[in-house]
Amino acid sequence: MTVTQVPQMGPTGGLAQRYARALYDYASEQGALSDVLAQVRGLRDAISQSADLRTFLADSRLDAHRSSKVAGALTEKLGFGDAVRRFVGVIAANHRLADLASILDGVLALDASLRGETVAEIRSAQPLTDMQRSQLQGRLAEAGYSRVSMIERTDASLIGGMTVRVGSILFDTSIAGRLTRLQNAMKGAA
């Protein structure tokens, strides 16, 4: 495992932070924060688990009308409330669907931060099982991160293993990371 200090460029930066704050504040004002946060988690999980949905969201060829229509149908099918449906509609109308996962992560990170938790961003080649999730929380607690909110992403480019980012610290146990380190070591030996 490699531990690296890297600049924080997570889900709460810039654009994602502004949209996340807007949804969070709106939900708080409406007294629907817990419902909205549950729906945000549900939508984030749906994006994480569906390669087709991620491909659709990343497609820059879609016009605002079509993407708004599809985003509206998706959020309605998933049974989300009015606030989340309208929020995703605004994201689609502003041509920001490619940033939706980061914006949702930003909402969850903002909530965790306001509750005094540390946010850990986990990228894994396969979705984590409940047992892996609890083992990871145990390891993070051993490392001094007792109140941790985990944001999970699936990233097939890691090949295997995972990366865990807590603040500016990156723990890398991925096969892709190992291959990169091996390649760099071989360049240094030549």
Side-chain angles (χ1 to χ4, degrees):
M1 169 174 56
T2 301
V3 178
T4 313
Q5 291 274 134
V6 292
Q8 174 132 5
M9 296 171 53
T12 58
L15 173 91
Q17 185 178 22
R18 289 190 302 271
Y19 277 104
R21 174 57 81 173
L23 178 60
Y24 193 90
D25 289 348
Y26 177 78
S28 293
E29 290 170 6
Q30 299 301 312
L33 187 59
S34 63
D35 290 339
V36 167
L37 289 173
Q39 293 169 23
V40 164
R41 282 185 192 91
L43 183 54
R44 185 64 187 96
D45 290 344
I47 293 170
S48 177
Q49 295 170 2
S50 173
D52 291 338
L53 182 54
R54 287 190 305 272
T55 301
F56 167 76
L57 294 174
D59 190 353
S60 61
R61 297 173 295 165
L62 294 174
D63 63 10
H65 176 70
R66 183 168 178 226
S67 61
S68 293
K69 187 176 177 181
V70 172
L74 171 71
T75 54
E76 187 173 328
K77 180 180 178 185
L78 293 173
F80 294 144
D82 187 52
V84 172
R85 282 201 313 260
R86 289 187 314 157
F87 181 73
V88 173
V90 167
I91 301 285
N94 291 336
H95 302 283
R96 301 287 189 207
L97 281 178
D99 300 314
L100 182 59
S102 293
I103 292 167
L104 297 174
D105 287 345
V107 172
L108 298 175
L110 177 61
D111 179 59
S113 165
L114 292 174
R115 287 185 288 120
E117 294 181 352
T118 302
V119 177
E121 180 183 337
I122 290 77
R123 289 181 36 220
S124 59
Q126 301 290 326
L128 296 178
T129 64
D130 290 336
M131 186 169 77
Q132 289 172 323
R133 203 170 284 116
S134 66
Q135 288 175 341
L136 182 56
Q137 283 206 318
R139 294 289 172 113
L140 288 169
E142 289 173 9
Y145 302 107
S146 58
R147 292 185 47 123
V148 176
S149 177
M150 297 193 317
I151 297 175
E152 301 175 25
R153 294 183 183 187
T154 304
D155 184 354
S157 70
L158 295 177
I159 304 170
M162 70 176 67
T163 64
V164 178
R165 180 188 304 268
V166 181
S168 65
I169 299 173
L170 176 69
F171 301 92
D172 187 352
T173 63
S174 69
I175 293 175
R178 291 177 189 176
L179 291 173
T180 301
R181 290 187 297 277
L182 180 62
Q183 181 180 24
N184 290 339
M186 291 179 72
K187 284 180 184 176

